[in-house]
Amino acid sequence: MVELSRLVEYLDEFLDVRSFSDYAPNGLQVEGRPEVGRVVSGVTASRELIERAVTLGADALLVHHGYFWKGEDSPLVGIKRLRLKRLLENDISLLAYHLPLDAHPEVGNNVLLARALDLEIDGPMGSGSGAAVALRGRLGEPLPAPRFSARITERLGREPLVVPGGPSTVKTIGWCTGAAQDGIEVAAALGLDAYLSGEISERTVHVAREAGIHYFAAGHHATERLGVAALGAHLAERFGLWHEFVDIDNPA
């Protein structure tokens, strides 16, 4: 067991949450029992994931997508009320880490995606202050776009949507997990052969075709499973906790 306050303090420091200006609060979003021995992790704090956490006797639920996003309605009604009700009546804490988990150099979504797809990291794709989220690099072995697409399907368990627009062989690539489709313009400006993210917009297709760059939409959920599972495993090892990652299937 570890005190909830100690766990939150450790996570906030480990993920360097103060370095990020995010779309939702990072850290403890719902306070449960004061000690934690069992942790369930998952991508999104959906009702189904909460029910699984209840069934597994979790003291804390660790997620990438939590609650209280900028711009959302404040009243605790409907779906939001029911989710919070189940957490509170079962005394389960909700811990959510968004951009800090995307960017972390050890358990981050982007670093782990590179490892899963055999991508060599050259550095951040963008520039500016704060920790880099999007990365750029190269394939260890250059591949035709269809073969790289097949690798994504094999490694992530989801066939990507591919917009061909670049050279016959993919050597250099930029990537950012989740809803980061507009990063394609930065990737194109850098002269990269391809760009990969989770989601796609209508405009993304035209940018890929006109800028001469391949685009791979590999799924928001599929590209962001790795980080929170790794973070949960890290906590289990660091504090001697019980941990289970629960994958609630999502085709988006």
Side-chain angles (χ1 to χ4, degrees):
M1 301 287 285
V2 61
E3 291 182 358
L4 175 63
S5 59
R6 171 76 179 101
L7 188 65
V8 173
E9 180 183 14
Y10 175 80
L11 282 167
D12 287 353
E13 182 178 349
F14 179 67
L15 295 173
D16 193 19
V17 298
R18 293 180 182 84
S19 295
F20 296 85
S21 176
D22 212 334
Y23 313 105
N26 287 294
L28 182 63
Q29 292 190 341
V30 178
E31 184 178 1
R33 55 185 67 98
E35 291 189 322
V36 176
R38 297 175 68 85
V39 176
V40 167
S41 64
V43 177
T44 299
S46 64
R47 178 73 180 276
E48 186 175 357
L49 180 61
I50 293 170
E51 296 300 340
R52 292 288 297 277
V54 171
T55 300
L56 291 168
D59 301 306
L61 179 58
L62 176 68
V63 299
H64 183 47
H65 301 137
Y67 305 147
F68 314 114
W69 298 94
K70 290 180 181 178
E72 74 175 24
D73 290 337
S74 297
L76 301 180
V77 299
I79 290 174
K80 185 186 294 186
R81 182 189 77 85
L82 292 174
R83 288 175 173 178
L84 290 169
K85 178 176 182 292
R86 291 297 284 156
L87 288 169
L88 292 168
E89 68 188 7
N90 287 282
D91 218 11
I92 297 175
S93 296
L94 177 65
L95 297 158
Y97 293 91
H98 187 233
L99 292 182
L101 186 55
D102 287 323
H104 196 270
E106 298 174 41
V107 297
N109 284 318
N110 285 294
V111 165
L112 295 181
L113 181 64
R115 191 176 303 167
L117 298 179
D118 297 333
L119 304 177
E120 299 174 0
I121 300 172
D122 289 339
M125 196 177 76
S127 60
S129 61
V133 176
L135 298 175
R136 59 178 173 82
R138 60 196 65 249
L139 276 68
E141 175 191 359
L143 293 173
R147 287 186 58 191
F148 182 56
S149 176
R151 176 182 293 178
I152 296 170
T153 302
E154 176 189 355
R155 306 286 174 85
L156 299 187
R158 181 190 188 278
E159 183 177 358
L161 189 157
V162 181
V163 182
S168 59
T169 300
V170 176
K171 299 178 183 178
T172 58
I173 184 169
W175 65 94
C176 190
T177 64
Q181 55 268 53
D182 290 337
I184 190 173
E185 297 193 23
V186 177
L190 291 171
L192 303 179
D193 299 329
Y195 179 68
L196 182 155
S197 72
E199 293 188 16
I200 187 170
S201 295
E202 189 272 345
R203 61 185 177 274
T204 318
V205 175
H206 303 294
V207 173
R209 290 171 178 169
E210 295 172 29
I213 184 171
H214 296 296
Y215 178 70
F216 300 88
H220 195 139
H221 178 82
T223 59
E224 295 194 328
R225 288 180 299 199
L226 300 172
V228 72
L231 181 59
H234 172 81
L235 293 179
E237 181 177 0
R238 176 72 173 75
F239 294 102
L241 306 176
W242 179 94
H243 165 253
E244 183 169 328
F245 171 71
V246 176
D247 188 17
I248 304 298
D249 184 55
N250 187 333

